Amino acid sequence: MIKLIHLKSTYLFLFLLLNFQLISCAQKKVQDSKMEIQSSKNETLEIKTGAEQTNLYLDLLKGKKVGIVANQTSVLSVLQRSEVAPNVMGSKKVMHHLVDYLHNYGGITVTKVFSPEHGFRGKADAAELIKDGVDTKTGLPIISIYGKSKKPSAKQLEGIDVMVFDIQDVGARFYTYISSLHYVMEACAENGIPVIILDRPNPNAHYIDGPILEMEHTSFVGKHPVPVVYGMTIGEYGQMINGEKWLKNGIQCDLKVIPNNNYTHNSKYSLAIKPSPNLPNDKSINLYPSLGFFEGTTINAGRGTEFQFQRYGAPFFKKTGFSYSPQANEGAKYPKHKGKLCYGVDLSKTPHLSKIDLSFLMDAYKQTPKTEKFFGETFTIHAGTKKLQKQLEQGLSAEEIRASWVNGLEKFKIVREKYLIYE
């Protein structure tokens, strides 16, 4: 009798366990289905940039004298008014430059425009000094923050009540717009001027990678102890500059970020306007963090061609089936090896990267004869460390080099987490 009761208990337990597992599986399928639907919804929702969230910042600018840090990427699309009924918004969207939009908007007074590297219209070479000028369309004065000085002076900030920063970043430490942001925030903090960042998606926000910059190697192509790829929007990055007290003397800026809408760090985002002359499309932007190291070498990374940062080569590489001859063009008046036949590698068909690919740099270093110079004067400041050059010279593998980044990346992720706006 006891054995029979025990047997029934065992069957009952197994029956309940099986039912519990079936219910759990059903719940998981429902949950997975909900997640798939939500993911699908997020992908179909249109991403709106900070500039397009006009309801969040126009009232903050009304009655104020406004300074704007902008370039060719500082645009927003707005609904055009109906031609039949001028007081009614139509369904057609029209692209406006932020400076034009605010300049023509009632109750807002734009007084000055500040221009970063590559200029207000974005056509100047990398490292080419930008001069002050006047915007022919609005008549507004343009003040260069990539000329004799990279930081706005107190005199240049006179008469400004609030500063708006709206620049498209690409998420690589050596892309100088985050350094311009640093100096704008610092100058405004010193002069009691609040800063509003109109946030924009980062096309390389889906990963974090590379060596951490060592502070003894700070420069305008790297001001902060962050990896080459930091996985943050420029608004999040501005919050980190402020929160970590990286501004001079630990001063903090009165900062407000107008966020993107319908955006996550993994959102696919294609730039409608090239952020600088030598980043013409999504492919070059994705490859840029990996090929940017070539800026500090004697190797041409596609400048002087229509495939900037989608190839690399040099006249002294071994002859292959792929070659090209760099010529002067917009944004590259004096490309490396101008007019010479360069043999190298075509990367235009490379799959989308989610980490820095060291194979390009390692291959180029191995192909460079000992009679030729490989490392230039700026290699260390682009890498942010002397270690990378030494590791290449020692013949370390990509895995060994990447292993040396791990601790720094883990520490950075903890810092980064505090300033994130998006998932």
Side-chain angles (χ1 to χ4, degrees):
M1 186 67 181
I2 295 172
K3 287 183 179 180
L4 183 62
I5 293 170
H6 178 73
L7 189 61
K8 286 182 179 179
S9 299
T10 302
Y11 283 137
L12 179 61
F13 173 76
L14 290 173
F15 175 77
L16 291 173
L17 180 63
L18 180 61
N19 272 276
F20 177 76
Q21 288 176 334
L22 288 171
I23 291 168
S24 296
C25 287
Q27 287 177 335
K28 187 176 186 305
K29 285 181 180 179
V30 170
Q31 186 64 30
D32 288 346
S33 178
K34 286 180 178 179
M35 289 177 67
E36 285 177 11
I37 292 169
Q38 186 62 43
S39 177
S40 178
K41 284 182 179 178
N42 288 339
E43 285 179 9
T44 57
L45 288 172
E46 180 184 4
I47 294 172
K48 287 190 175 183
T49 65
E52 290 168 332
Q53 309 293 310
T54 54
N55 60 307
L56 299 180
Y57 66 89
L58 289 180
D59 285 345
L60 302 176
L61 306 180
K62 287 180 180 178
K64 306 284 180 65
K65 294 178 181 177
V66 181
I68 302 178
V69 184
N71 66 3
Q72 77 285 355
T73 66
S74 311
V75 295
L76 66 157
S77 58
V78 295
L79 290 174
Q80 188 178 30
R81 292 188 181 277
S82 170
E83 294 179 3
V84 179
N87 293 327
V88 178
M89 287 297 182
S91 58
K92 183 181 179 182
K93 284 191 173 183
V94 179
M95 194 77 78
H96 291 276
H97 194 283
L98 180 71
V99 171
D100 301 336
Y101 181 80
L102 294 182
H103 184 69
N104 296 322
Y105 192 90
I108 296 175
T109 303
V110 179
T111 59
K112 298 173 184 177
V113 178
F114 294 82
S115 171
E117 184 177 9
H118 304 296
F120 181 52
R121 297 300 174 190
K123 296 183 181 298
D125 280 17
E128 180 180 342
L129 295 182
I130 307 299
K131 296 180 181 179
D132 293 349
V134 175
D135 180 34
T136 55
K137 190 171 183 179
T138 61
L140 292 169
I142 298 175
I143 298 168
S144 170
I145 50 174
Y146 196 79
K148 292 180 181 179
S149 176
K150 294 180 174 64
K151 178 179 175 179
S153 67
K155 185 171 181 59
Q156 290 170 334
L157 293 174
E158 284 180 0
I160 293 176
D161 298 321
V162 59
M163 183 73 81
V164 175
F165 188 101
D166 183 28
I167 299 282
Q168 177 65 57
D169 185 37
V170 299
R173 188 186 63 220
F174 33 63
Y175 204 57
T176 63
Y177 296 148
I178 53 174
S179 294
S180 292
L181 174 63
H182 173 108
Y183 282 126
V184 167
M185 288 174 59
E186 188 171 277
C188 287
E190 291 169 346
N191 290 275
I193 299 171
V195 174
I196 298 174
I197 298 176
L198 304 183
D199 210 5
R200 290 185 175 272
N202 170 6
N204 284 316
H206 57 293
Y207 71 106
I208 302 162
D209 205 9
I212 304 290
L213 180 136
E214 297 162 352
M215 294 306 288
E216 62 265 34
H217 302 303
T218 56
S219 71
F220 198 68
V221 294
K223 290 197 64 61
H224 311 117
V226 302
V228 171
V229 183
Y230 41 82
M232 306 172 81
T233 66
I234 201 160
E236 293 172 321
Y237 197 95
Q239 291 187 154
M240 184 168 64
I241 291 174
N242 222 24
E244 293 303 302
K245 298 185 178 182
W246 287 338
L247 301 178
K248 188 177 179 181
N249 298 323
I251 193 171
Q252 289 184 297
C253 175
D254 180 354
L255 179 68
K256 183 175 182 63
V257 177
I258 306 300
N260 303 305
N261 196 18
N262 302 324
Y263 172 77
T264 73
H265 292 122
N266 289 310
S267 296
K268 294 178 181 178
Y269 188 71
S270 181
L271 301 190
I273 298 171
K274 57 184 179 182
S276 56
N278 287 287
L279 291 181
N281 52 41
D282 295 343
K283 178 58 68 178
S284 62
I285 289 168
N286 181 243
L287 285 165
Y288 177 65
S290 296
L291 271 67
F293 294 114
F294 285 127
E295 299 288 81
T297 72
T298 55
I299 308 304
N300 178 284
R303 290 186 185 270
T305 75
E306 297 303 313
F307 293 88
Q308 304 97 319
F309 294 101
Q310 297 173 68
R311 58 180 54 174
Y312 64 91
F316 44 77
F317 278 7
K318 60 186 178 184
K319 292 184 179 181
T320 63
F322 179 74
S323 63
Y324 63 96
S325 180
Q327 303 293 335
N329 62 6
E330 182 182 278
K333 295 183 180 69
Y334 309 102
K336 293 173 187 173
H337 309 302
K338 177 182 174 182
K340 296 180 180 179
L341 188 64
C342 292
Y343 300 96
V345 180
D346 177 15
L347 301 173
S348 61
K349 305 298 182 185
T350 303
H352 195 71
L353 298 181
S354 293
K355 67 177 182 178
I356 288 176
D357 193 328
L358 284 169
S359 67
F360 313 141
L361 186 65
M362 296 174 72
D363 171 63
Y365 178 69
K366 289 176 182 177
Q367 284 204 62
T368 302
K370 291 183 179 180
T371 54
E372 299 286 347
K373 184 179 180 181
F374 181 80
F375 297 105
E377 294 179 1
T378 67
F379 184 80
T380 294
I381 62 173
H382 277 87
T385 173
K386 285 187 176 180
K387 292 176 185 174
L388 184 56
Q389 178 174 339
K390 291 178 180 178
Q391 288 168 331
L392 291 169
E393 291 172 338
Q394 291 168 358
L396 268 62
S397 67
E399 290 73 21
E400 289 172 318
I401 295 173
R402 296 184 66 82
S404 70
W405 301 345
V406 171
N407 288 340
L409 289 173
E410 291 305 313
K411 289 177 182 177
F412 169 73
K413 287 176 184 177
I414 295 171
V415 173
R416 169 185 176 271
E417 186 70 28
K418 295 184 285 182
Y419 306 107
L420 297 184
I421 300 171
Y422 318 97
E423 293 181 357

